[in-house]
Amino acid sequence: MTLQVLLIDSYDSFTFNLVTLFRDLTVHPEITVVPSAHLTPAYVSSHLFPALLAKFDVIVIGPGPGTPLQEDSDMGGIPHVWRAIDKYYAGSYRWVPPVVFGVCLGFQWILLAYGHPVVRLPRPRHGLISVLDVTEEGKNDLFAGLDGKDIECVRYHSLHVQYDNDFAGNNDIVPLAWSRDENEEGQKVLMAARHKTRPYWAVQYHPESICSKYGAQMLENVFRLSEEHTRLRRQWINKVLEQDHLPLLKASILERQDVLETFLQGRQHRCKILHKWPHQSANRLETRDRQADIATTTLFQYIVDLPENVNISQFVTELCEQVFEFSGVFSLLESAAAPGSWSYMGFNEAIPHRFTYYIPDPFLTETSTLQPQVWTVDSIDDVWELLASVIDVNISQVVQVGCGPNNTDTRISFDQLKEIVRRSRESGLDELPSFYGGLVGYVSYEAGVVDGLNVPVDHESPAEVPDIDMTFYTRSIAVNHNSRRVFIHTFEEQNFVAIYRSWILRVAECIEMLPEVRRAKGRPAKERVGAAIAKFNDKKIPGDIRLPDKDEYLAKIDLAKEYLASGDSYELCVTDQTVVIEKGSLHDGSGDSNISFKEMRSDWAFYKQMKAMNPAPYSCFFRSKKSALIGMSPERFLRWDNNLGECELRPIKGTVKRTSKTTLEEATAKLKTPKEQAENLMIVDLIRHDVAQFCENVEVTQLMGIETYKNVYQLVSVIKGTNMRPGVTGADILRGTLPPGSMTGAPKKRSVEILQELEGHRRRGIYSGVSGYWDIMGHGDWSVVIRSAFSVGGQGTDVERIWKIGAGGAITALSDREEEWEEMKTKLEGTLRVFQNV
């Protein structure tokens, strides 16, 4: 019989790392995760609870924010479960209790229940590593087989247990290990303990952290030591089921199992599976039959090889400007610096096929004609389902233009192309694009808060820009920076083949005429057609800048540190916004239905300045009627490949300003301090937890590597998830991991709630959200919107337009308020310099 484990989740951001640790043990237990808030007093006191105790061999009280001293608000249903176990243990039925294992908050609760006080540490220990001082009892118990080894453990706690038998009035708890941090904390801190006679174990540290050692061996010892107890307990339960004089208990265990399964189902992982638009109703506009519309769609591909000495950055800029002249507004996702190696441009017809959604509106707007369509939505789930149906394009064939003898077209099936791309990815090559067309845009921070965490946002603070803004592109250009190969793509219905094929050839001709290409081929540059668009000059804008107030920012840091000390959070990413007011008209009489030439030119000039000053691997230029987004993000949030069933995240935590006097060695010394590494470690553990809900395997392929950018040095980790669970897509992972943990802190849900209070319930908007693409081939790549600026208001009118620039930093117990202010300014300056002419 498989060992059954119930893990009570207190909404921590490391819970599923525990699931992974338990799952990989030799006993291979079956694990069910239930939120502590679901275990209500009514449920625990009902006749259903015996069925719960009978079903599970082990109950794990997991970590979480808060304190065991506040039962109702922080502990959820844990106290009720604990008291029920004790009641049944001592009651007339003489229950043989399940094994209990506590971690962090669970450790504190168990020892508090036996009378040992829980108090604040002199200084919180968040993301910091200690070495265990194992007792003689521990060497033969929880840490058997580890004698003589340095057992390093990661700690996330600001409270600790004062072990005191006299105060407790009993000696039921046996210490198994202490910390060795006496010099720093003034006393040893209890790190592991067990009950003297019952099968209860608990640890204060986090054995599931990526930097904790021997966590699996320690848990193997738990199951080894409790094996006989579990065997006897199962015999007792079977005996109860055979006895007719215990009808109530027997009925609770047997007849209520169906109710119990209903209560527990769906909690093993929180996947929101996307599928086609599922239904129609009287209050919903009829959805068009998208499959019928695109049943004969063909994907056209044309490949151009650039000269070896071409400047790719300059080439991408010139290509965007030139194609804009005959294709209109575009989006650009550019690798302006390593480690990025691709740039993608999306183009469309004069009227873009755009989807916009504002929280909490009950509708999504689709703009693909002069008259926008409005789709009724019940929740943000419906928004994502509609987007999923849009991306589900049925391409029948791929025409490779001019790839055969005498420049003839060749044809393959779409499935053949997908298989070629899949094999290339599987072999580790980066030769083929990941974007062949699809959705490009952004998801705001608030959309992630509502969708990923189910945390409401203040409706009194309205959204200034859409919370989801994505454009569906049927024409795209992909540039490989390493091979210097350009891929031109377009797809549409069969009766438009001639038009779309001619667009591809026009882009190819345009490439040959670009000044950078002609220079690389040793040819003289020619006067460009449409010279007006070539004059993308820097724009001097009248207006002013409103910077964050230092005293207010420092006050937020102080309050954040109080939340860290109270146990509510381990890390809080405090942010603020700078406002740049651009006054004067940008309207050129082109009509309200289009983005004016002057608006586009102005925004593009800002982007080019930003790229010249602070190039980054995940740069973006996105322009809609509602807003403009220009960014030089160094941080990939999520890349996925549905065909391989894998994803990758690259969180950044730890920043040192790069100057002419700062060497890599000096930056490394600053970034290898406990404070900087703790910041990064907490987010790595958080992301491992997020991804583990959707992928069977999660691996940290780079832990706290140092990467060099033009203006900063960064501490970067890489987390890879493989073997997506059945039915899971990359879009599910995107939704389930938002908002980015590097922009919130940990535990994520409680940290977001605290940050809403600290930041006055003001919306962050696009800042701290993600931007990127969702491709028709099953790929996606999204970056965190940082080192960026976005505009609100004033498009196409005579009123002022406002640019917003967000910046901030992770606050930990080791943070220095003045240093955090300086770090925030360092991040802000890189973007603010774009507007230096204000």
Side-chain angles (χ1 to χ4, degrees):
M1 181 177 178
T2 303
L3 201 68
Q4 298 292 322
V5 175
L6 174 68
L7 174 50
I8 302 176
D9 176 21
S10 294
Y11 299 98
D12 193 71
S13 288
F14 306 145
T15 298
F16 279 84
N17 296 334
L18 265 177
V19 171
T20 300
L21 189 59
F22 273 94
R23 186 198 60 196
D24 293 339
L25 300 178
T26 57
V27 292
H28 299 304
E30 182 176 315
I31 305 167
T32 301
V33 180
V34 173
S36 60
H38 288 197
L39 298 167
T40 62
Y43 171 79
V44 175
S45 61
S46 72
H47 294 307
L48 190 59
F49 191 68
L52 185 78
L53 288 184
K55 176 178 176 62
F56 294 102
D57 304 297
V58 181
I59 294 180
V60 179
I61 304 175
T67 167
L69 302 175
Q70 296 180 2
E71 289 191 14
D72 294 337
S73 59
D74 292 342
M75 297 302 294
I78 292 172
H80 312 303
V81 172
W82 181 261
R83 291 175 188 131
I85 291 174
D86 264 8
K87 181 186 75 173
Y88 282 111
Y89 185 85
S92 58
Y93 297 148
R94 297 298 298 170
W95 271 88
V96 177
V99 175
V100 178
F101 184 75
V103 178
C104 199
L105 185 66
F107 171 90
Q108 294 170 9
W109 170 255
I110 292 173
L111 271 69
L112 179 66
Y114 282 98
H116 297 277
V118 175
V119 299
R120 288 192 180 188
L121 282 167
R123 193 171 191 179
R125 308 287 293 178
H126 293 150
L128 300 178
I129 299 173
S130 294
V131 177
L132 293 183
D133 184 4
V134 180
T135 66
E136 289 302 318
E137 293 86 350
K139 293 176 182 178
N140 298 313
D141 193 281
L142 204 56
F143 303 100
L146 300 175
D147 195 16
K149 298 183 182 295
D150 284 339
I151 305 174
E152 294 181 354
C153 63
V154 176
R155 298 166 61 181
Y156 292 108
H157 65 114
S158 56
L159 309 175
H160 76 109
V161 173
Q162 282 187 331
Y163 179 75
D164 189 334
N165 285 341
D166 292 335
F167 186 89
N170 63 73
N171 61 353
D172 292 333
I173 298 299
V174 179
L176 301 179
W178 303 81
S179 73
R180 291 184 185 174
D181 301 297
E182 186 174 355
N183 292 335
E184 190 167 333
E185 297 169 337
Q187 59 181 318
K188 289 186 176 182
V189 176
L190 189 60
M191 287 285 106
R194 68 159 297 164
H195 191 280
K196 184 163 58 175
T197 58
R198 297 182 185 179
Y200 302 161
W201 286 266
V203 293
Q204 173 63 76
Y205 70 95
H206 284 246
E208 79 284 359
S209 172
I210 189 66
C211 287
S212 286
K213 291 185 177 180
Y214 309 115
Q217 291 91 322
M218 182 265 292
L219 289 177
E220 294 281 10
N221 285 331
V222 170
F223 291 116
R224 176 182 58 80
L225 293 166
S226 61
E227 184 177 12
E228 180 64 13
H229 173 88
T230 300
R231 186 184 65 81
L232 294 173
R233 180 173 181 273
R234 287 178 176 173
Q235 287 182 353
W236 178 86
I237 292 173
N238 292 333
K239 185 176 180 181
V240 168
L241 295 177
E242 295 171 358
Q243 294 177 359
D244 294 331
H245 67 280
L246 296 173
L248 185 60
L249 182 57
K250 184 174 181 178
S252 296
I253 294 175
L254 289 178
E255 298 172 13
R256 307 260 177 161
Q257 282 293 334
D258 56 338
V259 181
L260 178 66
E261 294 300 328
T262 300
F263 173 77
L264 294 173
Q265 75 178 43
R267 286 303 308 170
Q268 264 116 346
H269 55 89
R270 300 191 299 268
C271 293
K272 296 178 180 178
I273 307 302
L274 299 180
H275 47 275
K276 296 177 186 177
W277 195 249
H279 60 276
Q280 298 174 349
S281 61
N283 69 339
R284 192 186 306 276
L285 291 177
E286 292 290 314
T287 61
R288 63 181 183 176
D289 188 343
R290 298 183 184 276
Q291 289 296 332
D293 281 351
I294 58 177
T296 57
T297 297
T298 298
L299 172 67
F300 292 88
Q301 175 174 267
Y302 188 83
I303 300 174
V304 177
D305 287 314
L306 299 175
E308 183 66 27
N309 62 337
V310 73
N311 182 311
I312 290 294
S313 178
Q314 182 64 22
F315 168 79
V316 170
T317 298
E318 291 178 357
L319 184 60
C320 286
E321 293 175 359
Q322 188 65 49
V323 178
F324 171 82
E325 294 184 4
F326 59 84
S327 285
V329 177
F330 62 89
S331 290
L332 169 64
L333 300 170
E334 181 178 9
S335 294
S341 57
W342 285 89
S343 291
Y344 297 110
M345 289 151 266
F347 297 90
N348 236 323
E349 299 175 79
I351 302 174
H353 196 70
R354 174 168 283 112
F355 298 86
T356 54
Y357 172 70
Y358 291 82
I359 294 171
D361 287 352
F363 58 87
L364 174 142
T365 302
E366 177 183 356
T367 307
S368 56
T369 64
L370 291 176
Q371 182 62 43
Q373 297 185 67
V374 176
W375 306 96
T376 303
V377 296
D378 295 328
S379 68
I380 200 169
D381 289 340
D382 288 348
V383 175
W384 284 100
E385 286 177 349
L386 180 54
L387 293 175
S389 71
V390 170
I391 206 71
D392 191 16
V393 178
N394 183 16
I395 293 177
S396 58
Q397 65 174 333
V398 179
V399 175
Q400 302 185 82
V401 180
C403 291
N406 303 317
N407 293 323
T408 57
D409 295 349
T410 61
R411 286 172 169 77
I412 60 173
S413 71
F414 188 57
D415 288 340
Q416 285 177 306
L417 177 61
K418 289 181 73 173
E419 179 60 20
I420 292 170
V421 174
R422 188 193 68 78
R423 288 201 305 266
S424 175
R425 296 277 184 281
E426 199 170 39
S427 63
L429 300 176
D430 193 27
E431 299 174 339
L432 299 175
S434 293
F435 184 71
Y436 289 77
L439 291 167
V440 177
Y442 69 79
V443 182
S444 77
Y445 174 79
E446 279 70 31
V449 167
V450 170
D451 191 32
L453 297 176
N454 197 29
V455 173
V457 297
D458 188 352
H459 295 167
E460 307 243 340
S461 174
E464 299 172 302
V465 294
D467 287 293
I468 295 178
D469 194 338
M470 295 191 195
T471 300
F472 186 70
Y473 288 105
T474 58
R475 301 167 172 177
S476 64
I477 304 173
V479 181
N480 187 315
H481 292 216
N482 296 325
S483 67
R484 288 172 164 72
R485 174 166 280 193
V486 182
F487 299 79
I488 310 170
H489 299 110
T490 182
F491 60 87
E492 232 335 315
E493 298 173 55
Q494 193 71 32
N495 54 330
F496 290 106
V497 164
I499 296 174
Y500 279 77
R501 190 177 187 281
S502 65
W503 181 84
I504 281 186
L505 296 178
R506 187 171 183 182
V507 171
E509 292 172 1
C510 170
I511 290 174
E512 291 298 318
M513 299 299 293
L514 292 180
E516 177 57 30
V517 174
R518 294 184 66 85
R519 181 204 63 78
K521 290 184 176 182
R523 301 173 184 173
K526 292 187 176 182
E527 183 68 24
R528 293 176 56 184
V529 178
I533 198 66
K535 298 176 182 178
F536 276 82
N537 297 318
D538 295 351
K539 181 170 183 277
K540 296 182 179 181
I541 52 177
D544 58 42
I545 296 176
R546 298 174 185 172
L547 294 166
D549 182 89
K550 181 177 180 179
D551 290 338
E552 290 181 2
Y553 193 78
L554 294 180
K556 289 193 289 188
I557 293 175
D558 293 339
L559 188 53
K561 294 189 76 169
E562 176 57 30
Y563 277 113
L564 299 177
S566 65
D568 287 280
S569 179
Y570 314 138
E571 176 179 25
L572 290 165
C573 188
V574 174
T575 72
D576 212 327
Q577 289 191 347
T578 294
V579 175
V580 179
I581 299 177
E582 178 185 1
K583 295 182 179 179
S585 174
L586 291 174
H587 188 50
D588 63 356
S590 60
D592 288 340
S593 62
N594 297 307
I595 298 167
S596 75
F597 166 78
K598 289 182 179 179
E599 290 171 358
M600 188 70 179
R601 184 176 66 182
S602 171
D603 298 338
W604 182 246
F606 290 147
Y607 175 81
K608 289 201 298 182
Q609 287 185 62
M610 186 179 288
K611 183 170 77 167
M613 294 175 178
N614 190 27
Y618 309 107
S619 309
C620 68
F621 176 83
F622 180 73
R623 191 64 172 83
S624 73
K625 191 64 182 171
K626 302 294 184 182
S627 64
L629 171 63
I630 57 174
M632 290 289 147
S633 177
E635 181 173 356
R636 166 178 280 154
F637 176 62
L638 170 68
R639 179 179 66 180
W640 75 72
D641 186 330
N642 290 336
N643 304 305
L644 294 179
E646 63 183 35
C647 64
E648 179 188 273
L649 300 92
R650 293 177 56 89
I652 289 177
K653 271 294 166 226
T655 303
V656 171
K657 188 174 182 178
R658 187 184 180 195
T659 68
S660 58
K661 297 179 180 180
T662 307
T663 65
L664 177 59
E665 291 73 19
E666 292 171 336
T668 300
K670 293 179 180 179
L671 290 171
K672 291 298 184 180
T673 60
K675 172 191 174 295
E676 301 293 345
Q677 294 199 319
E679 284 185 25
N680 198 283
L681 174 59
M682 283 187 263
I683 302 307
V684 169
D685 281 340
L686 179 150
I687 289 176
R688 291 173 57 235
H689 155 89
D690 281 350
V691 175
Q693 299 174 67
F694 302 96
C695 295
E696 294 290 346
N697 301 310
V698 181
E699 179 184 3
V700 179
T701 58
Q702 174 179 299
L703 184 60
M704 302 185 215
I706 296 177
E707 295 184 358
T708 303
Y709 299 88
K710 185 170 184 178
N711 296 316
V712 293
Y713 297 98
Q714 304 269 200
L715 206 57
V716 183
S717 295
V718 181
I719 297 95
K720 185 175 182 180
T722 56
N723 294 339
M724 292 180 186
R725 300 182 192 276
V728 171
T729 70
D732 296 308
I733 302 176
L734 177 66
R735 296 181 63 190
T737 54
L738 287 173
S742 60
M743 300 306 298
T744 63
K748 190 190 287 187
K749 184 172 184 178
R750 181 67 182 118
S751 295
V752 163
E753 293 168 342
I754 294 171
L755 289 168
Q756 287 178 331
E757 177 187 337
L758 293 180
E759 298 176 3
H761 293 275
R762 181 192 62 210
R763 294 201 185 200
R764 293 185 179 181
I766 306 176
Y767 170 65
S768 295
V770 295
S771 64
Y773 65 80
W774 182 358
D775 168 62
I776 59 173
M777 294 271 282
H779 309 125
D781 203 348
W782 298 79
S783 63
V784 182
V785 181
I786 53 176
R787 322 293 161 85
S788 308
F790 67 93
S791 65
V792 299
Q795 281 88 328
T797 69
D798 293 331
V799 300
E800 66 184 19
R801 182 164 65 151
I802 295 174
W803 288 89
K804 292 196 171 183
I805 305 170
I811 308 303
T812 71
L814 299 178
S815 293
D816 177 88
R817 62 205 301 266
E818 291 290 338
E819 290 178 358
E820 292 296 337
W821 168 255
E822 291 300 322
E823 180 179 325
M824 187 276 289
K825 288 203 303 178
T826 296
K827 295 173 179 176
L828 172 63
E829 286 166 1
T831 305
L832 191 57
R833 283 187 301 160
V834 173
F835 303 93
Q836 60 188 349
N837 293 325
V838 176

